[in-house]
Amino acid sequence: MPEPHGGHTPPPPAAPTVVSSRAGEKGLKTGALGLVSSVAIGIASTAPAYSLAATLGIIVVGVGLQAPIITVLAFIPMLLIAYAYKELNASDPDCGTTFTWGARAFGPRTGWMGGWGIVIADIIVMANLAQIAGVYGFRLFGFDGLAESTAWTTVAGVVWIIVMTAICYVGIEISAALQRWLLCIEVVMLVLLSVTALVKVYGDHPPDTAVHISGSWFNPFEVSSTTAFTAGILAAVFIYWGWDTAVSVNEETEDAARTPGRAAVISTVLLLLIYALVSTSAQAFAGIGTEGIGLGNEDNAGDVLSSLGGAVFGSAGLGWFLTKLLIFMVLTSSAASTQTTILPTARTTFSMAAHRAVPRQFARVHPRHRTPTWSTVAMGLASIAFYVLLTAISGNVLADSIASVGLAIAFYYGLTGFACVWYYRRVLTRSVRDFVFKGLMPLLGGLLLLYFFCYGAFDVYADPDYGSTSIDLPLFGETGGVTVIGIGALLLGVVLMLVQWAVDGSWFRHPDVPVEAADPADAPRG
């Protein structure tokens, strides 16, 4: 191309550019995160305070005094899958995670659906995170009337999504620094709440609701029925979801093949300790009664920490301040999780675009910030559209859509477990370590999540009386809205995959991620 007049070649435009599809070569800012930042992102992504506030009451209503052991047992499939992430990341640290690994193990169509599972789960949960952030923002400043207004909480939620999207757009290092500070506040407040509650329970003047801790709380065989047990586990799995964000930012992490996997495992273990402490102390202080601050009070099931904070800390002086700080902590928890929910989704669609599985525009990187541009903005816009649409339709539909996110979680986590086993199938007899960590643990995790998915989708959630809505389906009759929304969201992915195949099927016909198995000649990976 001839030079323009004047003999000077103009500088390249500052517009984002499309980059290589290979892991580590996509243009993201490599080496930006260390182990501490990765662990902080992994824990913050689960929003411990928000998750407990929204889920602990639901678990107690279902299983009673055995809520603490349910929160502990839900940790097991998460740890098993965390090891699947760790092992697969060691071989292929691609920010597409399940999308890339599913394609490598089972082919491009399975990989595409794995990526869609991540995207749809994150978009759905963003609606609830934004709503909680809006409600708690108003409560923090005493605007209880606005907190009860659907219109105002929706506006506030949209603002939160915009702010967190902007932070993710500006850079991964700023995101990580914010996460570290927010997480510190969150963990300190949860520990303070738990210790204060236990001191009062075993003090000279315990609250009327207090119940001393008993060994039966940690006996799963005390749960009244298999249905209650499974429903409790399904609800508790949600509180651990999100640690995989630490792996989705692998291409921006120091020692990309090792650090993200270690961060994922460490995150799940730390979450276990936090949840076991808070669930046990909260139950000891408030009991499981159906009135007042009792955890069995269905009026508080969606937010047990608000009522619990005032009772534990008091309403005057320092107690008033700590109660407000607790509200602020739940607010920052949901806000932090909003941010860390954008991160993995943006990087999943970014990787899918770099591999030509979705439109190539989503693979654009900001030339200065070195973050995904189209993918980050699109995640924010899609979340806003979904949130506003469902809020406008019905609060009940929004509630059931949030409940359905467990199906998407079980789908893509379980797929990752099976992908790990299949990809490493030729090396499982190489050593005991390979058999356990590459085979046995991921397989058990995948099977557990497959069971929970099937039981939840076709039994618990399909019950017309479960959740807030039901739909009369041809051939199936009256079906719970949670199942309809959850399965429908995954089937929507099949439709979109076929559309992408028709518009640009290069990924499906000639994928640049080959279907293969790990070579037994490779040295064992630590």
Side-chain angles (χ1 to χ4, degrees):
M1 179 176 179
E3 288 185 349
H5 293 295
H8 297 291
T9 303
T17 55
V18 178
V19 295
S20 167
S21 64
R22 294 180 60 186
E25 298 180 3
K26 299 185 182 71
L28 299 175
K29 190 169 187 178
T30 58
L33 304 175
L35 179 61
V36 173
S37 292
S38 296
V39 171
I41 287 175
I43 297 176
S45 297
T46 67
Y50 154 72
S51 297
L52 285 166
T55 308
L56 182 56
I58 296 173
I59 297 172
V60 169
V61 169
V63 302
L65 289 170
Q66 281 66 52
I69 189 59
I70 292 296
T71 61
V72 170
L73 291 178
F75 158 79
I76 294 175
M78 294 297 99
L79 181 67
L80 298 176
I81 297 302
Y83 270 101
Y85 269 79
K86 181 176 183 293
E87 296 299 332
L88 286 167
N89 183 76
S91 289
D92 186 9
D94 190 296
C95 63
T97 60
T98 303
F99 156 70
T100 311
W101 303 332
R104 196 173 294 282
F106 301 120
R109 292 176 292 278
T110 303
W112 202 98
M113 286 303 300
W116 173 252
I118 297 174
V119 171
I120 195 61
D122 288 345
I123 289 177
I124 289 174
V125 82
M126 280 285 284
N128 197 30
L129 292 170
Q131 185 180 48
I132 290 293
V135 169
Y136 272 81
F138 289 130
R139 285 181 179 172
L140 179 64
F141 295 103
F143 300 135
D144 293 335
L146 295 181
E148 299 297 326
S149 168
T150 300
W152 280 106
T153 55
T154 301
V155 170
V158 169
V159 171
W160 272 111
I161 294 175
I162 292 172
V163 171
M164 292 304 160
T165 301
I167 292 174
C168 293
Y169 186 93
V170 169
I172 188 69
E173 290 169 316
I174 295 176
S175 298
L178 180 61
Q179 290 303 320
R180 288 195 297 269
W181 282 105
L182 294 179
L183 183 63
C184 285
I185 297 173
E186 191 172 353
V187 172
V188 167
M189 282 304 302
L190 285 175
V191 171
L192 182 59
L193 175 72
S194 300
V195 172
T196 304
L198 289 175
V199 168
K200 290 191 173 183
V201 167
Y202 288 94
D204 295 333
H205 303 287
D208 295 337
T209 56
V211 183
H212 282 191
I213 297 172
S214 168
S216 65
W217 295 8
F218 302 93
N219 182 1
F221 297 104
E222 294 275 347
V223 179
S224 60
S225 68
T226 302
T227 299
F229 177 84
T230 305
I233 292 289
L234 281 168
V237 162
F238 173 76
I239 67 178
Y240 287 96
W241 172 53
W243 52 261
D244 52 302
T245 301
V247 186
S248 70
V249 294
N250 48 17
E251 296 189 43
E252 297 149 278
T253 306
E254 296 173 357
D255 194 358
R258 296 179 68 242
T259 299
R262 292 171 60 198
V265 174
I266 292 171
S267 297
T268 56
V269 173
L270 292 177
L271 285 168
L272 168 66
L273 298 177
I274 293 170
Y275 291 150
L277 173 63
V278 176
S279 62
T280 302
S281 60
Q283 184 167 290
F285 184 90
I288 62 169
T290 57
E291 298 180 356
I293 64 170
L295 299 183
N297 186 345
E298 295 190 10
D299 292 337
N300 300 331
D303 179 14
V304 298
L305 292 187
S306 286
S307 58
L308 192 61
V312 171
F313 293 130
S315 57
L318 180 61
W320 175 88
F321 173 77
L322 291 176
T323 300
K324 287 292 185 181
L325 192 57
L326 183 67
I327 294 175
F328 176 72
M329 176 209 57
V330 179
L331 168 64
T332 60
S333 177
S334 59
S337 190
T338 302
Q339 179 192 351
T340 49
T341 300
I342 295 169
L343 290 176
T345 314
R347 278 144 185 82
T348 298
T349 55
F350 170 76
S351 179
M352 293 176 77
H355 289 291
R356 300 170 299 159
V358 298
R360 293 280 282 171
Q361 288 87 344
F362 289 94
R364 293 183 180 274
V365 177
H366 195 283
R368 180 160 59 90
H369 302 313
R370 296 174 68 184
T371 55
T373 53
W374 276 53
S375 289
T376 300
V377 173
M379 171 58 185
L381 292 176
S383 299
I384 291 172
F386 181 82
Y387 176 37
V388 172
L389 176 64
L390 289 197
T391 302
I393 293 174
S394 168
N396 290 336
V397 174
L398 177 62
D400 278 359
S401 71
I402 293 163
S404 74
V405 77
L407 297 179
I409 297 169
F411 172 75
Y412 84 84
Y413 271 1
L415 176 59
T416 306
F418 293 130
C420 183
V421 176
W422 193 244
Y423 176 72
Y424 285 114
R425 64 189 183 276
R426 296 179 183 172
V427 305
L428 297 182
T429 57
R430 187 171 56 187
S431 68
V432 173
R433 186 201 179 282
D434 285 328
F435 176 76
V436 172
F437 293 106
K438 293 179 171 67
L440 181 61
M441 292 177 70
L443 178 62
L444 289 176
L447 289 174
L448 283 172
L449 289 168
L450 176 62
Y451 166 75
F452 291 138
F453 178 91
C454 294
Y455 193 88
F458 304 115
D459 191 327
V460 178
Y461 296 157
D463 187 338
D465 295 328
Y466 187 92
S468 305
T469 62
S470 63
I471 299 174
D472 191 6
L473 296 176
L475 302 179
F476 297 98
E478 199 75 13
T479 306
V482 177
T483 285
V484 174
I485 294 171
I487 298 298
L490 292 175
L491 292 178
L492 175 61
V494 176
V495 174
L496 294 177
M497 180 178 67
L498 295 176
V499 170
Q500 174 64 25
W501 199 337
V503 173
D504 179 6
S506 56
W507 161 253
F508 303 100
R509 290 189 292 268
H510 307 291
D512 58 357
V513 176
V515 179
E516 60 184 7
D519 189 342
D522 291 343
R525 297 181 182 272

